[in-house]
Amino acid sequence: MNFAAKFAEGLAYAAFLERYADAGQRRRWDEFHAQVELSESQQALIAGFPRDVQALVLAGAWCGDCVNQCPIFERFAEQSPRLDIRYFDRDDHPDLAEALSICGGRRVPVVVFLSEDGHVCGWYGDRTLAKYRQIVRDQLGAACPTGFVAPGGTLLADVVLDWLDEFERIQLMLRTSGRLRQLHGD
């Protein structure tokens, strides 16, 4: 799939919600967005991103995991003009849903990170490590068979950090890319 060509079809956050969310769904997205807070150091990190990134987000306005993650991406985008994030409804874009299948399913949200010139740098989804740890604690208990369940913290802050780590990883990849360093003379 040509993700760079597909990116141009995407919608900005507000336009995505306008098109796909009903009133109840929009309220849930807005309420969660209001809860997402970034520390000063997180804001400074994002504001200092030196490379443009295009992030293609496959989502569903109806999806609880999307409600609990996509507003985080919007908070990141509010901190940096370097982040161009476009949203795609999973059901209206079955080609994306198929290409981004995770564990044999059409899971959302999934984020595809592209360089400024449209090269795929990575993709990540459907839930972060912090969320899966919480699910394991809730469903399997502290003695789950994986042995990887870490103690708590607040889930929202942990999920924000998981996503911020991924956005930063992509930035560092782009910043150290020989091809892009030559292009930008840095």
Side-chain angles (χ1 to χ4, degrees):
M1 164 160 292
N2 183 342
F3 291 109
K6 189 73 173 177
F7 183 81
E9 299 174 28
L11 299 172
Y13 183 84
F16 173 79
L17 292 176
E18 181 68 29
R19 180 174 294 170
Y20 293 106
D22 64 29
Q25 293 163 343
R26 181 61 192 248
R27 180 183 43 76
R28 288 176 48 218
W29 283 67
D30 290 346
E31 288 172 358
F32 191 81
H33 184 265
Q35 293 177 40
V36 177
E37 295 180 5
L38 302 176
S39 70
E40 287 184 23
S41 64
Q42 290 171 329
Q43 291 174 35
L45 174 69
I46 297 166
F49 284 169
R51 297 282 192 249
D52 291 338
V53 172
Q54 298 171 340
L56 182 155
V57 179
L58 183 66
W62 46 266
C63 169
D65 287 321
C66 296
V67 170
N68 293 325
Q69 294 178 81
C70 294
I72 295 169
F73 314 149
E74 183 62 9
R75 281 286 186 229
F76 292 172
E78 292 167 0
Q79 300 302 312
S80 175
R82 299 276 189 191
L83 300 177
D84 188 359
I85 303 176
R86 306 280 176 90
Y87 295 83
F88 296 79
D89 180 77
R90 182 198 72 182
D91 298 333
D92 274 358
H93 295 274
D95 56 336
L96 272 178
E98 183 64 29
L100 299 175
S101 172
I102 295 176
C103 196
R106 295 174 145 204
R107 297 180 182 206
V108 287
V110 178
V111 180
V112 177
F113 296 95
L114 305 171
S115 63
E116 64 193 64
D117 51 355
H119 292 281
V120 174
C121 298
W123 58 292
Y124 190 73
D126 66 330
R127 295 174 176 143
T128 70
L129 180 59
K131 178 63 176 177
Y132 273 115
R133 284 178 173 155
Q134 184 251 336
I135 290 169
V136 167
R137 275 193 300 275
D138 292 349
Q139 292 180 4
L140 304 176
C144 77
T146 66
F148 295 126
V149 177
T154 64
L155 182 59
L156 175 55
D158 292 345
V159 171
V160 167
L161 188 55
D162 284 346
W163 276 111
L164 184 55
D165 284 348
E166 191 60 22
F167 274 77
E168 182 183 14
R169 184 181 77 81
I170 298 300
Q171 272 296 315
L172 294 174
M173 176 191 303
L174 295 172
R175 180 60 183 94
T176 60
S177 162
R179 180 180 63 79
L180 292 175
R181 291 188 73 194
Q182 183 174 13
L183 177 70
H184 292 286
D186 59 7

